[in-house]
Each structure stands twice: as C-alpha cells, then as structure tokens.
Amino acid sequence: MTDETWGQVCNELQKAVGQNNYTTWIAPLELIDLEDGIASFQAPTKFMCDWVSRNFAEPILSELRRAGISAERVDISVPARRPMNGTANGATRPAVPAPAPAPAAAAKLRRTPRPDEPLPGAPLDSRFTFDSFVVGKPNELAHAAAKRVAEGGPVTFNPLFLYGGVGLGKTHLMHAIAHDLQHQRPDLRVLYLSAEQFMYRFVQALREKQIMDFKEMFRSIDVLMVDDVQFIAGKDSTQEEFFHTFNALVDQGKQIVISADRAPGEIKDLEERIKSRLSCGLVVDLHPTDYELRLGILQTKTEAYKVQYPDLQIAPGVLEFVAHRITSNVRILEGALTRLFAYASLIGREITMDLAQECLKDQLRQSERKVTVEEIQRKVAEHYNVRLSDLVGPKRLRAIARPRQVAMFLAKSLTTRSLPDIGRRFGGRDHTTIMHGIRKIEELRGTDSQLAEDIELLRRLLES
Ligand SMILES: Nc1ncnc2c1ncn2[C@@H]1O[C@H](COP(=O)(O)OP(=O)(O)OP(=O)(O)O)[C@@H](O)[C@H]1O
C-alpha cells in the first residue's frame, strides 16, 4: 500500500471515529506491514495496543477494505523491548519477533509525552450528550450539576461526585460534560477514563519506569473525569497515586468529576482520607428511575427509532406498559425497546401490546417482583423502628398497628400472595383483617403525605 492510500484511509478513519478518537488512538499507530491479509501496526504502549485492538480494529479493517485493500485481520503489537532480567513474568513472546520500527518511529515512541500532547483517555460515546439525556425527578440534580461543570466556568464544587446504581446514566453524563467542553472550551485539556484504566496506566508507568511522565501527564489536565472509582478500593498503591493526583489538581483549581456505584463513605476498602476528599465537593445521587422518567426515555428513544423504521407503528399504551413493567435500569429499558423494534421490523407487524408481551417475555419475567412478605415485614419494622415480633403480633397500639397495615398493603401490592396467605404470615390473622388494613392505608394515603412518602420509599427500597 502506498503512503498516499494509507493517507486516504486515515482521512476516512478520522471521519468514521471522530477527530478526538482519531488523534488519541489512530494517529500514534505505525503501519508496519500488510501481507497475507494481515495489517500489522505498532502502538507506543501495551495499553494503547489493547485498547485499539478491542475498540478500533473493526473501523480500521472496514476503511482498508473500502480503499480496495484486502485485509482480514488487524494485528497490533508494541515494539519489542529488551527484557531487563530475562523474560518478563511468564509473558509469551511472539513466535516471530516484531519488526523493528523505522528510526523516526522509534524516536517518536521513546519521546517523553509533553503536556500539550493528546490525552490517552477512553473514547467518548458520541450518543451520550446532554441532548439525548432525559431529565426527570430522579436525576435532575445530577443533570444540573453536570451542566454547570460543562460550562467550563470557574470551579464551584470540587469534585463533582456522581453516584447511583447500575445503568442510571453516570457515564452518559460524564461523556456529555466532555463533549460540551470539547466544543465550548477547546483550550481545556479534558480527560475521561475509568478508574480501571487509571490503575492500568499507573501500573504500566511503574513497570516501564515512567512514573514521572505519568505524574506530569495527569497534572497537566484541566478537567479530570474518573468513572467507577470504587474499582480502586483495596488497591493500595493505586489509591495512593490517585490521592496525590487528586490533591495536585484540586490545589491548582482544576475540575474533577468522579462517579461510583455508591456514596464515598460507603465504598468499602477505600482509604478514609480519600473518602473525605471525595465528599468535599458536591455529592449527587442518581436515584432509581420512576415511571415518568422511564416513559420519557422510552418516548425519546422511540422518536429516534421512528426515523430508523419509518413504517413501524406502535400502538397506544405499549410504551406505558413497558415503562410500568421494566423497572430495573435504563440500560435494560433501552435493550427492551431495541428488541421490540428489531422484532417488529423483522416480522413486519405493528408493535401491539400482544407483540410486546410475546417479544419481551424474558425481560418481563426477570423484572417480576420477587419480594417476599417476610422481607416487607422486616423493612417496614426497620423503617418505623418497631420490633418484627410486634409487627406480626397481637398488639393494637397505633404506633404498631399503622406500620402493620402499611406492611399488609405492601404485601398485597408487591407480591402475588392471596389475602388468606398474607393473613397467615401476619400471625394467623383473618383475611378480612388484612383487607381492612389495606383499605385503611389506601384511604389515608390520599390525605397523609408523610404516609404516602413512607410507602413510596419502602416500595423503592424493596424493589431495588
Ligand atoms: N436519563 C437518561 N436519558 C437517556 N438515556 C439514559 C438516561 N440514563 C441512562 N441512559 C442510558 O442508559 C444506558 C446506561 O447508562 P450509563 O452507561 O451512563 O450508566 P451508568 O450509570 O454509568 O452505569 P454503570 O455503572 O453500569 O456503568 C446508556 O445507554 C445511557 O445512554
């Protein structure tokens, strides 16, 4: 392949993967060879080699093919280094030594990274923008805080700590911040990476004796975003380095955004000093989705699908049904919608309620509540600070009777147990007593907002 053809392939790749990804991941590659359908490249580091192989091999192959080059496989390696003490720990060596890079390339690979070089973070998902993020009660604070950071103005809270369960939009918001900053403040050096990648790069820098480069690179960043920070818990030297990086950046007034699956204080095996540093800024919880947010997300994504499948009709009530029944997280909700559209387009039928039930039966079964009456009793007793034995016992004091009725109400609405069955689990009460308890709560819920809140909170706790 001529340099000119490779240049054209690069131009196309730039369009396909985006400027940022291209500069960070593709530009540093050195094309070494193209033989027997194998396109061989060298990458400056092992990390880069793994990342590009995993994420960019496909686009490279398809652009090569579009340029008329028959390529079956992309092979990326790092330049062979002379082992310091025999072979590296059990590492297998390639059967054929990797070709030596051209002198210019070798010089490039050994050069110490300078602060003005592109940052080796993780690629950003172009779909994760503020425009595509649906805002509702459970995520409005997180969204507002992320928007503030994305303006790139003076740092008002540091760090911004976003936490919440799986698939609730933490990564989406972080990518959205990075996209906006790239657009509005191209002068800022923004780095997004997962805590796992932070560790990987740190360990690699230690191994390659490039720890000063590592420190210098991380301290040159204006906005650092680290996803899933719980990953570094229990990893002592990574935590130590993270702590120093964090402090150095905060001292320089640089913005930090962190995400985790739980609040800083609740991350097990994370050093106390890190917990307290992480709690210093704004800590925001992404709550589990509620019905309105799920419906909003489904409606927004359906609009996009209608462009893709203009002939498909969706019957009234289907989105409401899905929003009602699939409550686990947004990733699963999105998966259900994708499946629905793909299925309907394959069989060429309107998306009706029947079709949705048929097509999503596995997802619906999985999300069926499996909460037990005993669990409900335990949680209610905890919440109202009464003894479990009292909750199911005979005492008639209001302070116990009311929580008992709440537990009966939740048992009826969250399980499939019959009234006599529930009665048996409440100390052998008659089914009419259970019915009376449920009615009482239904009635009070309309007038007593505290009670309504308690029930909503308990329901969420039990369903999460
Ligand atoms: N409010 C929202 N509006 C639109 N899409 C959303 C919203 N919340 C989440 N999503 C989508 O749900 C999927 C999962 O979100 P994301 O990857 O950000 O979750 P996460 O909180 O980082 O979870 P994890 O901890 O598992 O990585 C993504 O496709 C994302 O675009």
Side-chain angles (χ1 to χ4, degrees):
M1 178 171 49
T2 63
D3 281 356
E4 195 185 336
T5 320
W6 175 235
Q8 282 162 5
V9 171
C10 286
N11 282 343
E12 292 306 315
L13 269 168
Q14 209 160 337
K15 287 183 214 150
V17 302
Q19 180 62 46
N20 193 41
N21 281 336
Y22 178 82
T23 319
T24 308
W25 301 109
I26 314 270
L29 297 181
E30 200 82 31
L31 178 66
I32 299 297
D33 199 7
L34 190 65
E35 220 176 304
D36 301 332
I38 304 173
S40 307
F41 294 87
Q42 283 192 341
T45 64
K46 173 86 172 63
F47 174 73
M48 199 164 222
C49 164
D50 292 347
W51 192 267
V52 176
S53 307
R54 230 176 314 138
N55 296 285
F56 297 107
E58 268 313 309
I60 293 175
L61 269 184
S62 72
E63 290 309 331
L64 283 170
R65 288 184 196 135
R66 266 160 52 112
I69 293 151
S70 77
E72 300 300 320
R73 190 154 64 82
V74 166
D75 185 65
I76 304 171
S77 57
V78 272
R81 284 167 190 279
R82 198 179 307 154
M84 293 202 304
N85 258 328
T87 44
N89 301 336
T92 47
R93 280 153 161 275
V96 182
K108 181 169 142 205
L109 300 182
R110 276 195 296 270
R111 187 161 49 78
T112 304
R114 284 193 326 267
D116 58 345
E117 283 183 14
L119 295 168
L124 297 177
D125 190 319
S126 59
R127 294 164 307 170
F128 291 0
T129 60
F130 282 116
D131 281 348
S132 63
F133 191 82
V134 181
V135 186
K137 265 228 152 343
N139 60 23
E140 63 183 347
L141 183 55
H143 172 261
K147 270 281 206 194
R148 169 64 64 84
V149 172
E151 287 165 9
V155 173
T156 40
F157 33 75
N158 218 2
L160 168 61
F161 189 97
L162 301 171
Y163 77 94
V166 172
L168 295 179
K170 302 179 292 289
T171 303
H172 188 134
L173 281 178
M174 289 174 115
H175 285 213
I177 295 174
H179 286 305
D180 266 27
L181 284 173
Q182 269 173 7
H183 187 66
Q184 292 172 35
R185 294 287 311 270
D187 55 309
L188 293 182
R189 288 166 64 75
V190 180
L191 178 64
Y192 164 85
L193 81 177
S194 67
E196 186 180 4
Q197 287 162 345
F198 179 86
M199 184 187 85
Y200 198 171
R201 291 188 57 76
F202 170 62
V203 171
Q204 185 185 32
L206 280 178
R207 210 178 39 223
E208 296 178 358
K209 302 204 177 321
Q210 290 185 338
I211 200 69
M212 288 321 290
D213 294 347
F214 175 91
K215 285 179 187 289
E216 192 184 317
M217 197 282 285
F218 273 92
R219 282 154 181 68
S220 74
I221 290 162
D222 296 305
V223 181
L224 173 65
M225 295 198 262
V226 183
D227 210 348
D228 288 325
V229 81
Q230 74 277 356
F231 182 85
I232 63 166
K235 310 201 166 72
D236 292 347
S237 39
T238 305
Q239 283 195 47
E240 175 86 21
E241 188 55 37
F242 176 76
F243 182 69
H244 294 314
T245 306
F246 185 100
N247 288 341
L249 289 177
V250 170
D251 288 350
Q252 291 176 60
K254 303 297 176 65
Q255 178 74 56
I256 297 182
V257 184
I258 305 281
S259 89
D261 62 353
R262 62 201 67 190
E266 286 164 21
I267 304 177
K268 225 174 125 247
D269 296 331
L270 193 65
E271 281 180 34
E272 281 308 319
R273 57 183 184 160
I274 300 187
K275 284 185 189 172
S276 86
R277 287 297 266 173
L278 291 177
S279 312
C280 274
L282 181 64
V283 178
V284 192
D285 180 2
L286 281 125
H287 296 280
T289 56
D290 58 13
Y291 171 76
E292 287 79 13
L293 178 60
R294 289 196 295 275
L295 186 60
I297 290 172
L298 288 172
Q299 285 166 338
T300 309
K301 305 223 178 248
T302 297
E303 288 309 310
Y305 276 122
K306 280 190 179 156
V307 177
Q308 200 180 335
Y309 303 100
D311 300 330
L312 274 187
Q313 297 295 320
I314 182 154
V318 171
L319 295 185
E320 286 78 0
F321 166 75
V322 176
H324 195 68
R325 292 291 305 276
I326 299 190
T327 55
S328 37
N329 70 53
V330 183
R331 195 174 286 127
I332 296 194
L333 196 66
E334 279 184 340
L337 196 66
T338 307
R339 191 178 158 81
L340 213 50
F341 272 91
Y343 187 84
S345 85
L346 276 177
I347 60 170
R349 268 181 33 206
E350 181 188 0
I351 304 177
T352 58
M353 200 70 98
D354 281 350
L355 182 136
Q357 271 169 340
E358 167 60 24
C359 160
L360 301 178
K361 58 179 185 290
D362 290 345
Q363 286 88 336
L364 293 171
R365 201 177 309 127
Q366 271 170 24
S367 71
E368 256 167 25
R369 306 177 195 116
K370 297 196 185 70
V371 47
T372 63
V373 176
E374 288 69 21
E375 253 176 278
I376 293 173
Q377 291 168 336
R378 260 200 316 277
K379 281 273 184 280
V380 171
E382 249 171 52
H383 180 76
Y384 287 105
N385 206 13
V386 299
R387 279 206 212 106
L388 188 58
S389 55
D390 283 342
L391 194 84
V392 297
K395 286 190 184 161
R396 284 159 172 252
L397 287 170
R398 164 80 70 87
I400 293 170
R402 192 68 83 227
R404 184 184 295 137
Q405 289 170 334
V406 167
M408 290 172 179
F409 172 84
L410 288 168
K412 186 65 199 142
S413 43
L414 300 184
T415 74
T416 50
R417 299 271 175 206
S418 65
L419 292 178
D421 211 353
I422 295 175
R424 270 193 294 281
R425 289 172 158 74
F426 276 85
R429 285 179 161 79
D430 188 71
H431 76 276
T432 51
T433 313
I434 306 297
M435 182 127 70
H436 170 76
I438 296 171
R439 292 228 174 103
K440 187 79 202 161
I441 295 299
E442 275 169 353
E443 201 181 291
L444 286 175
R445 225 162 41 129
T447 51
D448 183 340
S449 60
Q450 179 61 51
L451 182 74
E453 250 178 55
D454 285 351
I455 290 175
E456 186 50 29
L457 179 79
L458 283 162
R459 198 181 56 74
R460 272 217 242 143
L461 273 175
L462 287 158
E463 283 185 342
S464 61

